[in-house]
Amino acid sequence: MFSEAIKVTAPTEISHPALWLDPKSAVGPNEREQLAAAGLQLLPVATLDDLKQGLARARLVVIRLMNDVGLLHEVKKLTQSFGHAVPVLCRIDRHRFELAVEAMRCGAYQVLAADEWSVGVWRDSLTLAPRRPESQRSGPQTFVFVDPNSQHLLELARRVAQTQVSAMVTGPTGAGKEVLARVLHDASPRRNGPFVAMNCAALPENLIEDLLFGHEKGAFTGALKEHRGLFEQAHGGTIFLDEIAEMPYHLQTKLLRVLQERKITRLGGHAPIELDVRLVAATNKDLREAIAEREFREDLYFRISAFKLSVLPLRERPGDILPLVMQFLRTYGPVDRQIELSPRAIELLQHYRWPGNVRELQNVVQRALVLCNSDIITEAELMFDETDEKPIASPVSQPLSATTHSQLMKYGQREVADAHNPEAVDLSTAVKNSEYQAIMAAIQSTRNRDEAAKKLGISPRSLRYKMAQFRERGVPMAVAA
């Protein structure tokens, strides 16, 4: 069926050019190196012409806010006057909570702490950056539902969309749960209303409550203006709460009340505000298990799961793989170059198990575009995430796999070494080796990262931090994602 190469348009560059505006301090060499590792290409600005040219190229603008959102307003005015709708990321001191809320209200797509430089955090932030309207050559957003299993899910979603029931979308990480949530919105009578999305695991607890429910002026120290929460912003449309299992328990109680009464009261407020909102929630966890462990309210579970839709892993809908590949190539590609997929590359893409699902497929396509020096993507340009490691039987005696060891050597890292060669390592290396193997053993023998953390005797946050450290050193941890 696919004996001939598939011709599609593809890019030669997938980095994120960004204008960087910081009135307080310049970017140091170490920080610049970390930003580059995350995929951020800083564009220098010295004159107005530099600014105009930079906005024409920039994927986003990064600004540092000090005391107010004045700079954010000025930047948005400039981008509009030059005809460039560029997303803006704001860097704000950690203690300026009210300023962070105000920046989000004024149109920043994300807020990061001013002292945040970790590669993983910046890479995730760049992934979340909305694409510029002028770069979307394929017109309105399209979704891929080619496989028979996906077509069945799409038809079911369209039927659910015509009702007013709350929907729960389940499925593994990276499978496309937010895509299905957008289908539910676009196929519903609410399609002309707003679609507002929030990841419950991406924000600190105190910020989640304010973002969801809003506050009145003077509700707390520093609340200089009223703030409309996401529920109010979604009035007449759909609100999508991703990773709802991560919502703090006491906020689940308030969310339940809002859904039952269809009214909301801002922090510091007294007058209830009527709501007309449809809720779509998503999770990759077993909420029944979370209920048994008293981490999730049972009454809220029944309120948000009037109808459940399950997104299958990508390996169980192979008919979607090649259409997704073509969509990614069109999304990231200029119009001046034609790229083909060799038959062998097509075969490998179709037969890989895709443990990272659609998100991993997107990464593989992007890597191939970086490596491709001709008009054909071959098997040599396909770099798959190394997640097919055998389970580690013991956190102490099992040596690292040859794949893991060779990758570490490729990146010049000596933190983890062969446990069967004690003369080749020092004490620090041996400790890191044992730590890595203990973490992988815990992950392989438990159902989720929370259980793995409990087995290791550390907090889930500490486990995520250690996993991020190993990833930055080039150690394959995707199996634990």
Side-chain angles (χ1 to χ4, degrees):
M1 179 178 179
F2 292 101
S3 58
E4 296 183 359
I6 297 177
K7 294 185 178 181
V8 286
T9 302
T12 57
E13 181 178 351
I14 59 169
S15 62
H16 295 74
L19 292 177
W20 185 280
L21 305 175
D22 188 339
K24 185 175 182 180
S25 59
V27 183
N30 293 335
E31 290 79 9
R32 185 179 292 271
E33 183 177 346
Q34 288 178 276
L35 293 173
L40 197 67
Q41 175 192 357
L42 302 190
L43 301 178
V45 177
T47 67
L48 187 60
D49 286 339
D50 290 339
L51 180 60
K52 290 181 180 180
Q53 294 177 11
L55 286 173
R57 294 181 52 201
R59 175 79 164 80
L60 72 158
V61 178
V62 181
I63 63 175
R64 172 79 175 270
L65 298 184
M66 305 300 297
N67 299 313
D68 54 42
V69 293
L71 180 58
L72 175 58
H73 286 305
E74 292 301 320
V75 167
K76 292 182 75 66
K77 287 180 183 178
L78 280 172
T79 59
Q80 292 169 3
S81 66
F82 292 149
H84 300 295
V86 186
V88 181
L89 182 150
C90 294
R91 300 171 57 239
I92 299 173
D93 290 342
R94 291 182 182 274
H95 67 279
R96 300 301 302 273
F97 169 76
E98 170 61 23
L99 185 57
V101 172
E102 183 70 6
M104 295 291 289
R105 188 183 71 82
C106 293
Y109 87 87
Q110 191 164 11
V111 171
L112 290 182
D115 58 354
E116 179 61 74
W117 300 105
S118 61
V119 174
V121 171
W122 275 96
R123 185 180 292 125
D124 291 343
S125 298
L126 298 180
T127 302
L128 294 173
R131 292 194 57 85
R132 295 172 52 149
E134 62 267 28
S135 66
Q136 296 176 341
R137 295 171 302 280
S138 57
Q141 185 177 14
T142 58
F143 307 110
V144 173
F145 293 90
V146 177
D147 189 90
N149 288 325
S150 298
Q151 292 179 355
H152 175 74
L153 179 62
L154 175 61
E155 181 60 30
L156 186 59
R158 284 173 173 167
R159 295 177 62 181
V160 174
Q162 298 304 311
T163 70
Q164 295 298 320
V165 299
S166 298
M168 169 67 74
V169 181
T170 61
T173 298
K177 295 187 288 296
E178 183 169 353
V179 168
L180 190 61
R182 289 185 178 274
V183 170
L184 286 169
H185 174 74
D186 292 345
S188 75
R190 297 174 177 271
R191 66 179 67 89
N192 294 323
F195 178 88
V196 179
M198 189 188 82
N199 188 318
C200 298
L203 296 168
E205 180 177 324
N206 58 340
L207 191 56
I208 290 177
E209 183 173 9
D210 194 33
L211 283 178
L212 281 178
F213 309 121
H215 66 255
E216 297 288 354
K217 180 179 179 180
F220 49 82
T221 302
L224 305 178
K225 300 178 182 178
E226 68 173 25
H227 167 60
R228 293 173 63 245
L230 296 183
F231 269 98
E232 287 185 70
Q233 296 176 33
H235 183 73
T238 303
I239 185 168
F240 173 60
L241 299 182
D242 196 7
E243 298 193 52
I244 195 168
E246 305 298 332
M247 178 173 286
Y249 198 84
H250 77 278
L251 291 185
Q252 296 176 24
T253 304
K254 189 166 184 177
L255 175 60
L256 176 64
R257 187 182 310 116
V258 168
L259 297 177
Q260 289 174 337
E261 299 176 358
R262 295 290 172 179
K263 297 178 181 179
I264 195 169
T265 303
R266 296 174 182 169
L267 295 174
H270 302 287
I273 300 170
E274 298 285 343
L275 285 179
D276 175 22
V277 174
R278 190 218 187 122
L279 172 69
V280 178
T283 182
N284 60 358
K285 288 189 173 183
D286 184 347
L287 289 185
R288 286 291 193 177
E289 180 182 327
I291 292 171
E293 296 179 358
R294 298 193 176 185
E295 296 176 352
F296 199 83
R297 292 183 62 100
E298 185 174 24
D299 45 7
L300 178 59
Y301 168 78
F302 287 114
R303 174 64 64 173
I304 65 178
S305 58
F307 204 98
K308 292 169 61 176
L309 297 166
S310 297
V311 181
L312 294 175
L314 184 57
R315 65 177 175 272
E316 295 182 22
R317 42 190 176 103
D320 289 343
I321 293 174
L322 288 180
L324 282 167
V325 170
M326 291 186 285
Q327 184 189 57
F328 291 145
L329 292 172
R330 286 194 300 268
T331 299
Y332 299 115
V335 296
D336 59 349
R337 188 179 177 202
Q338 293 291 319
I339 298 293
E340 298 177 359
L341 293 172
S342 71
R344 177 57 177 163
I346 293 173
E347 182 182 359
L348 290 176
L349 289 168
Q350 288 181 308
H351 289 89
Y352 183 62
R353 294 186 68 253
W354 299 113
N357 296 296
V358 179
R359 195 170 297 156
E360 182 183 2
L361 175 61
Q362 182 178 12
N363 291 342
V364 170
V365 172
Q366 289 180 327
R367 293 177 194 139
L369 295 171
V370 171
L371 296 173
C372 184
N373 293 319
S374 66
D375 293 335
I376 299 178
I377 291 179
T378 68
E379 59 181 299
E381 283 84 52
L382 297 180
M383 295 179 59
F384 298 97
D385 290 338
E386 312 221 280
T387 55
D388 292 331
E389 303 283 336
K390 294 181 179 180
I392 298 175
S394 168
V396 176
S397 60
Q398 182 72 18
L400 292 178
S401 69
T403 303
T404 302
H405 189 272
S406 64
Q407 184 169 355
L408 289 170
M409 296 305 102
K410 174 183 177 182
Y411 284 92
Q413 301 294 335
R414 303 289 176 173
E415 285 83 358
V416 184
D418 190 344
H420 287 315
N421 185 14
E423 294 180 356
V425 299
D426 56 20
L427 180 60
S428 176
T429 300
V431 169
K432 288 183 174 64
N433 179 23
S434 297
E435 183 179 54
Y436 170 79
Q437 295 187 41
I439 289 174
M440 293 303 296
I443 290 170
Q444 295 284 357
S445 62
T446 55
R447 289 171 291 183
N448 53 56
R449 281 187 286 186
D450 289 347
E451 287 189 6
K454 187 179 298 184
K455 186 171 184 177
L456 291 166
I458 60 178
S459 69
R461 181 183 296 272
S462 296
L463 177 58
R464 288 195 295 269
Y465 175 74
K466 290 180 179 296
M467 290 169 61
Q469 284 186 314
F470 281 116
R471 286 194 185 99
E472 290 181 14
R473 297 185 184 115
V475 182
M477 298 292 291
V479 69

